[in-house]
Amino acid sequence: MITKRHLVFNWVILVVPWLSLLFLGRRNVKRYALAGAFIVVFSISNQLVGHMRKWWKFYEKKVSFLKGELPFSMGPFMPLSMWILKNSYGNFKKFILLNIIADGFFAFPFIGVLRRLRIVTLNRLNHIQFFIYLHYKAYLLYGVQWLYEKWRKKREVAA
């Protein structure tokens, strides 16, 4: 059974990041949605592996994947990826720096806050391993966006 605290937390991390996309702009949402969706699907597959290998532990007794890991992917991951792409695509160094800041924030101080709130804690990963687990996906995100931009420009030239 999920506690009220955990349920409220899940709703907040699902709703607030998606509301932020109202400020991203329709054109940017369309431009970065494919890469964002790809990285969410990829992240969900990674989380399934992490769930099976018990890399983290939710404090609830019977937390399913839907109530535990999924809100983290469906909530902040895609909107944050789209915001980072909007603010840094075309400047790879800036892109990596923004991802290091975001992933570092989540892997170090924020996971500590989640532990103190008794939502989730790292189990078989230390903070550095968890940071690497989060960060390596940034390179895939940039690569998918690069391929999409290349395809889009090719299509515009053909039209």
Side-chain angles (χ1 to χ4, degrees):
M1 182 74 186
I2 191 167
T3 63
K4 185 176 180 180
R5 177 185 61 240
H6 195 158
L7 184 64
V8 168
F9 176 79
N10 281 353
W11 277 107
V12 168
I13 68 168
L14 280 169
V15 173
V16 172
W18 284 96
L19 287 176
S20 77
L21 291 183
L22 295 172
F23 303 104
L24 189 63
R26 177 178 279 170
R27 198 175 108 227
N28 288 319
V29 169
K30 284 177 64 175
R31 180 178 180 188
Y32 302 120
L34 179 70
F38 171 81
I39 210 65
V40 165
V41 171
F42 187 80
S43 178
I44 289 170
S45 67
N46 277 254
Q47 287 176 338
L48 287 169
V49 171
H51 182 82
M52 289 186 293
R53 293 185 179 179
K54 296 178 175 45
W55 287 347
W56 42 79
K57 177 183 161 259
F58 284 85
Y59 284 96
E60 305 298 325
K61 294 293 179 205
K62 289 190 176 183
V63 172
S64 67
F65 180 78
L66 294 173
K67 294 176 185 172
E69 291 93 341
L70 192 62
F72 286 96
S73 284
M74 298 306 294
F77 208 70
M78 184 170 173
L80 182 60
S81 297
M82 294 168 68
W83 274 105
I84 289 174
L85 282 168
K86 179 203 181 279
N87 289 308
S88 64
Y89 185 74
N91 183 342
F92 188 69
K93 288 179 185 176
K94 184 177 180 182
F95 175 80
I96 293 301
L97 179 64
L98 287 175
N99 270 285
I100 287 171
I101 292 167
D103 296 335
F105 174 77
F106 192 77
F108 296 99
F110 191 64
I111 203 75
V113 170
L114 294 177
R115 188 184 74 244
R116 275 184 244 118
L117 290 174
R118 300 195 51 80
I119 292 174
V120 66
T121 187
L122 297 178
N123 190 29
R124 293 188 178 173
L125 294 178
N126 63 38
H127 290 277
I128 293 172
Q129 291 168 325
F130 188 60
F131 170 79
I132 293 168
Y133 162 82
L134 293 171
H135 184 68
Y136 86 93
K137 297 176 197 105
Y139 302 94
L140 289 173
L141 176 66
Y142 198 89
V144 169
Q145 186 62 35
W146 181 81
L147 289 172
Y148 174 72
E149 296 287 334
K150 189 175 173 181
W151 172 80
R152 199 176 90 186
K153 285 180 180 170
K154 191 176 187 181
R155 199 176 103 207
E156 287 175 2
V157 170

